[in-house]
């Protein structure tokens, strides 16, 4: 067939159909044989008692201190520090700390009922279900005696470490590791003083959205076209679902976790405006070109100073926003599990690929 006669022969439709069938077989076969790090880890989880002690301590021990948060090891970013005041029955207040050690900016208060900022039982349950959680024995951290708890994947690699204070039982530190072994998110608590500290004035926040979405309500929304998965990946399960209104439109907030990392998904009917940023904005790279952590189905997921990944796109009449304190690979998998941006669906990509090969 010459270049001047591009349509002189019929398209080999049977070949196209065969390729699609073979592709489906490959995908299904791969799904039935997960890697060793894609299944729950066995073990007696003897470290869970220590972590539950730490969870209980947040409800009973009053203290102040400085919480330091660092992002991915390879980015070598500066630490972000917060002055922390924990008052049982009230919650946790966090105020940014400036370079000279003084509190700077307005404090943010997290009400006790919102949980999910420390060791909530929902997160502990996910951790126990997903990883082998072992008591690694006594250690020290920043000069304080502690016990270390290690969370391991099924392939025996370390997914996370926790440090529990030997004196008070509060959580002193936590590190989440990527599959590569590098630290993806690190938090440390130092300068601890026990007793009720001064609650910062003019705190904002305080309560989560009040409209908890029940299982029946989520199912009703799904019937109206909302995509609200119970799982994003095998190890990211729904732990919290809430709803509110913004601009007279419903906004749904879903929180997924594996017990170590958290992924927030916001969904709202509508479409992105032309002012949507796709370049550097407040230290982040948007969903355009030039960022890091690219997922196979979506544009750029971008990382901030402390390892928080974000992505925003529109699909099927909805706008999705994902915020993730998680390793880049897990954040990317979470985003890929949601409806893809318009024009980037799976079958559209298959069609384009076959077209480039000359089959369609």
């Amino acid at each position: 067939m010459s270049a001047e006669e591009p349509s002189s022969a019929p398209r080999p439709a049977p070949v196209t159909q065969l390729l699609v069938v073979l592709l489906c077989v490959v995908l299904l076969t791969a799904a039935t044989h997960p890697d060793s790090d894609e299944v729950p880890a066995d073990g007696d989880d003897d470290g869970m008692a220590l972590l539950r002690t730490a969870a209980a301590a947040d409800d009973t021990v009053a203290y102040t201190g400085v919480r330091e948060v660092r992002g991915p090891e390879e980015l070598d970013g500066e630490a972000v520090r917060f002055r922390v005041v924990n008052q049982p029955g009230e919650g946790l207040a966090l105020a940014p700390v400036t370079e000279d050690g003084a509190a700077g900016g307005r404090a943010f208060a997290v009400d006790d009922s919102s949980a999910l900022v420390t060791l909530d039982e929902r997160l502990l349950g996910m951790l126990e279900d997903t990883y082998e959680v072992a008591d690694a024995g006594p250690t020290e951290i920043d000069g304080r005696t502690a016990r270390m708890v290690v969370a391991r994947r099924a392939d025996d690699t370390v997914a996370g470490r926790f440090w529990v204070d030997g004196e008070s039982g509060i959580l002193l530190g936590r590190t989440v590791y990527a599959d590569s072994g590098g630290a993806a998110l690190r938090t440390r608590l130092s300068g601890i003083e026990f007793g009720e500290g001064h609650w910062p004035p003019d705190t904002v926040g305080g309560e989560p959205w009040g409209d908890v979405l029940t299982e029946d309500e989520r199912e009703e929304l799904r019937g109206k076209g909302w995509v609200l998965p119970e799982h994003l990946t095998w190890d990211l399960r729904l732990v919290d679902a809430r709803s509110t209104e913004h601009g007279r439109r419903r906004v749904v907030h879903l929180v997924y976790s594996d017990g170590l990392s958290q992924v927030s998904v916001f969904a709202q009917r509508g479409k992105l405006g032309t002012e949507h940023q796709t370049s550097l904005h407040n230290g982040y790279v948007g969903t355009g070109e030039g960022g890091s952590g690219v997922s196979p189905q979506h544009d750029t997921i971008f990382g901030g100073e402390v390892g928080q990944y974000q992505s925003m796109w529109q699909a099927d009449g909805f706008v999705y926003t994902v915020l993730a304190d998680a390793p880049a690979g897990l954040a990317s998998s979470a985003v890929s599990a949601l409806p893809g941006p318009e024009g980037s669906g799976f079958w559209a990509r298959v069609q384009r690929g076959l077209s480039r090969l000359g089959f369609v």
Side-chain angles (χ1 to χ4, degrees):
M1 181 173 63
S2 67
E4 289 76 17
E5 298 174 315
S7 59
S8 59
R11 295 179 178 177
V15 175
T16 299
Q17 295 169 0
L18 177 61
L19 285 171
V20 171
V21 170
L22 288 175
L23 178 60
C24 290
V25 170
V26 169
L27 291 173
L28 291 173
T29 302
T32 59
H33 298 283
D35 294 334
S36 60
D37 62 345
E38 295 178 345
V39 295
D42 294 329
D44 57 12
D45 295 325
D46 62 356
M48 291 304 303
L50 278 169
L51 295 184
R52 289 194 164 93
T53 295
D58 272 334
D59 295 330
T60 58
V61 179
Y63 65 86
T64 61
V66 174
R67 178 175 293 178
E68 178 181 285
V69 184
R70 290 183 181 271
E73 209 168 32
E74 63 271 17
L75 296 184
D76 197 27
E78 294 184 1
V80 177
R81 294 178 175 85
F82 300 90
R83 175 69 60 183
V84 175
V85 179
N86 186 66
Q87 291 188 357
E90 294 292 332
L92 189 73
L94 302 98
V97 175
T98 60
E99 291 184 2
D100 60 5
R106 180 168 289 187
F108 182 82
V110 183
D111 187 87
D112 270 351
S113 63
S114 67
L116 297 177
V117 293
T118 53
L119 289 176
D120 173 77
E121 180 57 39
R122 289 169 289 182
L123 303 184
L124 291 175
M126 278 299 304
L127 184 72
E128 188 173 16
D129 289 346
T130 307
Y131 301 104
E132 177 189 5
V133 185
D135 179 355
T139 186
E140 282 193 3
I141 181 171
D142 296 329
R144 297 189 66 88
T145 60
R147 290 190 75 89
M148 183 192 296
V149 176
V150 178
R152 295 183 178 275
R153 303 181 183 93
D155 62 1
D156 206 39
T157 57
V158 175
R161 288 189 172 96
F162 300 84
W163 289 265
V164 178
D165 187 38
E167 176 187 351
S168 64
I170 64 174
L171 189 67
L172 297 175
R174 177 176 68 109
T175 298
V176 179
Y177 298 93
D179 291 343
S180 63
L185 185 68
R186 294 160 285 174
T187 65
R188 297 290 185 271
L189 183 64
S190 61
I192 302 168
E193 296 180 3
F194 294 104
E196 291 192 5
H198 178 65
W199 192 264
D202 302 323
T203 56
V204 297
E207 296 182 1
W209 295 354
D211 186 7
V212 176
L213 289 175
T214 66
E215 185 176 349
D216 288 343
E217 289 170 333
R218 297 197 299 272
E219 193 59 37
E220 181 180 351
L221 287 174
R222 291 185 188 110
K224 297 178 180 178
W226 292 73
V227 177
L228 311 175
E230 294 295 310
H231 296 71
L232 287 182
T233 61
W234 74 270
D235 53 350
L236 280 177
R237 295 211 305 261
L238 185 66
V239 294
D240 199 53
R242 296 175 183 269
S243 173
T244 191
E245 284 194 0
H246 179 70
R248 303 183 69 178
R249 290 177 179 267
R250 180 192 288 270
V251 183
V252 171
H253 179 203
L254 306 174
V255 179
Y256 299 86
S257 180
D258 63 348
L260 287 172
S261 303
Q262 291 185 46
V263 175
S264 282
V265 177
F266 296 85
Q268 181 180 11
R269 287 192 184 275
K271 61 182 181 179
L272 291 175
T274 56
E275 72 279 3
H276 174 58
Q277 295 288 333
T278 59
S279 58
L280 282 175
H281 179 65
N282 292 337
Y284 295 99
V285 178
T287 53
E289 296 179 353
S292 60
V294 179
S295 77
Q297 288 181 299
H298 299 76
D299 295 319
T300 301
I301 298 175
F302 49 91
E305 292 179 299
V306 295
Q308 185 180 73
Y309 291 83
Q310 304 182 19
S311 188
M312 179 183 288
W313 69 95
Q314 64 186 48
D316 304 323
F318 288 84
V319 172
Y320 295 92
T321 303
V322 171
L323 308 178
D325 284 324
L330 189 63
S332 180
S333 296
V335 171
S336 299
L338 294 163
E342 293 170 355
S344 66
F346 173 74
W347 290 113
R349 295 195 309 279
V350 170
Q351 187 82 1
R352 289 196 298 271
L354 293 175
S355 177
R356 284 194 295 270
L357 292 173
F359 291 120
V360 294

